[in-house]
Amino acid sequence: PNHKRIRSEQVTLEALQSALAERYSIFHFSGHGTYNFHNPALSYLALAGEDKLTLADIYKEFNLTNQVNLKSYRLVSLAACETAITGNHTITTEYVGLASGFMACGVAHVLSTLWKVESAPSALVMIQFYQRLQQGKPEAVALAEATQWLRNVTNAELAEWYAAEIAKLPANELILRRFLSRHLDKLKKTAEPIQPYNDSYFWAAFTITGMPS
């Protein structure tokens, strides 16, 4: 309820910082993220045009000493590449990365990835994860169940799931409808009863950081 969606071409740094300051409980980012091994503070989420939300930006705008911070956020989901990677470049700094940056600003849990993930399995994990959150399951349990579902689901089960999800979508949800329909059409052309995402490459990248619920 009371959600706000900012489409890719509108996600400027100013627009994102303004939206984060509105004290929602969940921030979900779908896009590209990069970890900078030479200077972790410059690790970033790619935004519209040339804009970026860097780790330095997060600390500067939303650290806990500021009046505007992220303590209202139960969850930040970074459905992007390499958002969970950290580094320890000097003995005077903590292991830092995008996930730890958000947590240092008061976020309770951060869902992130350890390597580049494909869009289809990433979307499936996210949908399954949020459905379990809506059932009241703790974040860590919800993610574990979502990734195990992806690991074990067969083509036939996935086709049935796609069809059921498409049927539940509101008429105006065109982007997600096209995405699910495209993948359902591909599955209809595949007769083998295989588990398409059984390899750990597809499901093991997702990790959650935070205090136990």
Side-chain angles (χ1 to χ4, degrees):
N2 305 315
H3 69 277
K4 180 175 186 176
R5 178 185 295 179
I6 309 177
R7 298 195 182 280
S8 57
E9 66 276 5
Q10 300 170 333
V11 188
T12 62
L13 178 59
E14 182 181 359
L16 180 54
Q17 288 177 332
S18 176
L20 284 170
E22 292 180 29
R23 302 185 187 278
Y24 289 94
S25 60
I26 293 176
F27 166 49
H28 179 94
F29 177 85
S30 293
H32 182 70
T34 294
Y35 183 75
N36 189 317
F37 286 92
H38 300 290
N39 188 347
L42 297 182
S43 302
Y44 66 87
L45 301 177
L47 308 178
E50 298 299 316
D51 280 9
K52 301 173 182 177
L53 178 69
T54 67
L55 178 57
D57 293 329
I58 297 167
Y59 277 123
K60 177 182 176 183
E61 297 296 326
F62 302 108
N63 70 73
L64 289 174
T65 63
N66 290 357
Q67 185 175 358
V68 178
N69 53 55
L70 304 179
K71 289 177 67 176
S72 69
Y73 284 82
R74 165 192 178 186
L75 172 70
V76 165
S77 291
L78 303 176
C81 304
E82 304 175 1
T83 49
I85 297 175
T86 61
N88 62 335
H89 294 268
T90 73
I91 60 173
T92 60
T93 59
E94 296 181 1
Y95 285 75
V96 293
L98 290 166
S100 58
F102 278 107
M103 292 196 65
C105 296
V107 175
H109 298 89
V110 180
L111 193 160
S112 50
T113 59
L114 294 166
W115 56 78
K116 294 181 179 180
V117 289
E118 296 181 10
S119 59
S122 179
L124 292 171
V125 167
M126 290 296 105
I127 294 171
Q128 290 286 327
F129 171 71
Y130 283 119
Q131 288 177 341
R132 285 163 172 77
L133 279 189
Q134 289 178 322
Q135 296 168 7
K137 295 183 178 181
E139 285 78 4
V141 173
L143 182 61
E145 291 186 1
T147 53
Q148 285 303 299
W149 176 88
L150 184 71
R151 180 182 184 179
N152 297 319
V153 70
T154 65
N155 278 336
E157 292 168 339
L158 196 52
E160 186 176 318
W161 182 87
Y162 274 129
E165 291 300 309
I166 291 169
K168 292 190 292 187
L169 286 175
N172 63 345
E173 192 62 76
L174 300 179
I175 294 176
L176 187 54
R177 183 180 298 275
R178 284 196 297 267
F179 176 85
L180 296 176
S181 297
R182 184 169 67 250
H183 287 282
L184 176 58
D185 290 341
K186 288 181 181 179
L187 284 173
K188 289 179 178 178
K189 301 174 184 176
T190 305
E192 298 89 348
I194 62 172
Q195 296 170 313
Y197 299 121
N198 185 254
D199 192 286
S200 59
Y201 163 75
F202 295 109
W203 56 267
F206 302 92
T207 184
I208 197 151
T209 307
M211 296 295 291
S213 299

